[in-house]
PDB file of all heavy atoms in Angstrom:
ATOM      1  N   LYS A 407     -58.564-147.869 201.877  1.00 88.00           N
ATOM      2  CA  LYS A 407     -57.758-149.076 201.983  1.00 88.00           C
ATOM      3  C   LYS A 407     -57.688-149.481 203.452  1.00 88.00           C
ATOM      4  O   LYS A 407     -57.871-148.643 204.342  1.00 88.00           O
ATOM      5  CB  LYS A 407     -56.343-148.819 201.443  1.00 88.00           C
ATOM      6  CG  LYS A 407     -56.296-148.392 199.991  1.00 88.00           C
ATOM      7  CD  LYS A 407     -54.860-148.093 199.566  1.00 88.00           C
ATOM      8  CE  LYS A 407     -54.803-147.649 198.111  1.00 88.00           C
ATOM      9  NZ  LYS A 407     -53.418-147.322 197.684  1.00 88.00           N
ATOM     10  N   PRO A 408     -57.403-150.740 203.712  1.00 94.00           N
ATOM     11  CA  PRO A 408     -57.265-151.158 205.117  1.00 94.00           C
ATOM     12  C   PRO A 408     -56.175-150.352 205.815  1.00 94.00           C
ATOM     13  O   PRO A 408     -55.093-150.140 205.264  1.00 94.00           O
ATOM     14  CB  PRO A 408     -56.895-152.641 205.014  1.00 94.00           C
ATOM     15  CG  PRO A 408     -57.398-153.074 203.673  1.00 94.00           C
ATOM     16  CD  PRO A 408     -57.264-151.876 202.781  1.00 94.00           C
ATOM     17  N   ILE A 409     -56.471-149.882 207.020  1.00 96.00           N
ATOM     18  CA  ILE A 409     -55.508-149.107 207.793  1.00 96.00           C
ATOM     19  C   ILE A 409     -54.656-150.080 208.604  1.00 96.00           C
ATOM     20  O   ILE A 409     -55.195-150.930 209.331  1.00 96.00           O
ATOM     21  CB  ILE A 409     -56.222-148.116 208.720  1.00 96.00           C
ATOM     22  CG1 ILE A 409     -57.073-147.152 207.888  1.00 96.00           C
ATOM     23  CG2 ILE A 409     -55.219-147.354 209.575  1.00 96.00           C
ATOM     24  CD1 ILE A 409     -57.954-146.245 208.724  1.00 96.00           C
ATOM     25  N   PRO A 410     -53.340-149.995 208.505  1.00 97.00           N
ATOM     26  CA  PRO A 410     -52.476-150.933 209.236  1.00 97.00           C
ATOM     27  C   PRO A 410     -52.753-150.897 210.740  1.00 97.00           C
ATOM     28  O   PRO A 410     -52.991-149.827 211.315  1.00 97.00           O
ATOM     29  CB  PRO A 410     -51.059-150.433 208.917  1.00 97.00           C
ATOM     30  CG  PRO A 410     -51.195-149.701 207.621  1.00 97.00           C
ATOM     31  CD  PRO A 410     -52.554-149.068 207.667  1.00 97.00           C
ATOM     32  N   PRO A 411     -52.724-152.056 211.393  1.00 97.00           N
ATOM     33  CA  PRO A 411     -52.951-152.099 212.855  1.00 97.00           C
ATOM     34  C   PRO A 411     -52.020-151.173 213.629  1.00 97.00           C
ATOM     35  O   PRO A 411     -52.414-150.631 214.667  1.00 97.00           O
ATOM     36  CB  PRO A 411     -52.700-153.571 213.201  1.00 97.00           C
ATOM     37  CG  PRO A 411     -52.998-154.313 211.932  1.00 97.00           C
ATOM     38  CD  PRO A 411     -52.562-153.411 210.820  1.00 97.00           C
ATOM     39  N   ALA A 412     -50.787-150.987 213.139  1.00 98.00           N
ATOM     40  CA  ALA A 412     -49.852-150.115 213.848  1.00 98.00           C
ATOM     41  C   ALA A 412     -50.383-148.697 213.959  1.00 98.00           C
ATOM     42  O   ALA A 412     -50.201-148.027 214.986  1.00 98.00           O
ATOM     43  CB  ALA A 412     -48.498-150.120 213.136  1.00 98.00           C
ATOM     44  N   TRP A 413     -51.065-148.228 212.914  1.00 98.00           N
ATOM     45  CA  TRP A 413     -51.631-146.885 212.953  1.00 98.00           C
ATOM     46  C   TRP A 413     -52.914-146.854 213.770  1.00 98.00           C
ATOM     47  O   TRP A 413     -53.190-145.861 214.476  1.00 98.00           O
ATOM     48  CB  TRP A 413     -51.857-146.355 211.540  1.00 98.00           C
ATOM     49  CG  TRP A 413     -50.583-145.879 210.917  1.00 98.00           C
ATOM     50  CD1 TRP A 413     -49.790-146.555 210.041  1.00 98.00           C
ATOM     51  CD2 TRP A 413     -49.944-144.634 211.173  1.00 98.00           C
ATOM     52  NE1 TRP A 413     -48.677-145.807 209.730  1.00 98.00           N
ATOM     53  CE2 TRP A 413     -48.745-144.617 210.407  1.00 98.00           C
ATOM     54  CE3 TRP A 413     -50.242-143.536 211.968  1.00 98.00           C
ATOM     55  CZ2 TRP A 413     -47.866-143.545 210.421  1.00 98.00           C
ATOM     56  CZ3 TRP A 413     -49.368-142.449 211.983  1.00 98.00           C
ATOM     57  CH2 TRP A 413     -48.193-142.459 211.224  1.00 98.00           C
ATOM     58  N   LEU A 414     -53.714-147.907 213.707  1.00 97.00           N
ATOM     59  CA  LEU A 414     -54.931-147.953 214.514  1.00 97.00           C
ATOM     60  C   LEU A 414     -54.584-147.907 216.005  1.00 97.00           C
ATOM     61  O   LEU A 414     -55.339-147.345 216.817  1.00 97.00           O
ATOM     62  CB  LEU A 414     -55.726-149.215 214.192  1.00 97.00           C
ATOM     63  CG  LEU A 414     -56.356-149.255 212.787  1.00 97.00           C
ATOM     64  CD1 LEU A 414     -57.006-150.618 212.538  1.00 97.00           C
ATOM     65  CD2 LEU A 414     -57.373-148.136 212.605  1.00 97.00           C
ATOM     66  N   SER A 415     -53.446-148.496 216.376  1.00 97.00           N
ATOM     67  CA  SER A 415     -53.048-148.503 217.790  1.00 97.00           C
ATOM     68  C   SER A 415     -52.623-147.121 218.285  1.00 97.00           C
ATOM     69  O   SER A 415     -52.505-146.910 219.493  1.00 97.00           O
ATOM     70  CB  SER A 415     -51.905-149.503 218.005  1.00 97.00           C
ATOM     71  OG  SER A 415     -50.685-149.006 217.439  1.00 97.00           O
ATOM     72  N   ARG A 416     -52.423-146.185 217.366  1.00 98.00           N
ATOM     73  CA  ARG A 416     -51.951-144.850 217.753  1.00 98.00           C
ATOM     74  C   ARG A 416     -53.083-143.819 217.805  1.00 98.00           C
ATOM     75  O   ARG A 416     -52.820-142.636 218.040  1.00 98.00           O
ATOM     76  CB  ARG A 416     -50.878-144.366 216.772  1.00 98.00           C
ATOM     77  CG  ARG A 416     -49.667-145.263 216.678  1.00 98.00           C
ATOM     78  CD  ARG A 416     -48.613-144.685 215.750  1.00 98.00           C
ATOM     79  NE  ARG A 416     -47.477-145.597 215.635  1.00 98.00           N
ATOM     80  CZ  ARG A 416     -47.167-146.291 214.538  1.00 98.00           C
ATOM     81  NH1 ARG A 416     -47.916-146.153 213.438  1.00 98.00           N
ATOM     82  NH2 ARG A 416     -46.136-147.097 214.521  1.00 98.00           N
ATOM     83  N   LEU A 417     -54.307-144.226 217.543  1.00 98.00           N
ATOM     84  CA  LEU A 417     -55.407-143.266 217.535  1.00 98.00           C
ATOM     85  C   LEU A 417     -55.525-142.588 218.890  1.00 98.00           C
ATOM     86  O   LEU A 417     -55.269-143.185 219.936  1.00 98.00           O
ATOM     87  CB  LEU A 417     -56.723-143.970 217.191  1.00 98.00           C
ATOM     88  CG  LEU A 417     -56.791-144.695 215.840  1.00 98.00           C
ATOM     89  CD1 LEU A 417     -58.171-145.307 215.641  1.00 98.00           C
ATOM     90  CD2 LEU A 417     -56.456-143.759 214.697  1.00 98.00           C
ATOM     91  N   GLY A 418     -55.893-141.313 218.854  1.00 98.00           N
ATOM     92  CA  GLY A 418     -56.068-140.588 220.106  1.00 98.00           C
ATOM     93  C   GLY A 418     -55.644-139.142 219.983  1.00 98.00           C
ATOM     94  O   GLY A 418     -55.357-138.641 218.888  1.00 98.00           O
TER      95      GLY A 418
END
Side-chain angles (χ1 to χ4, degrees):
K407 300 177 181 179
I409 300 173
W413 282 99
L414 291 175
S415 72
R416 301 183 182 110
L417 301 181

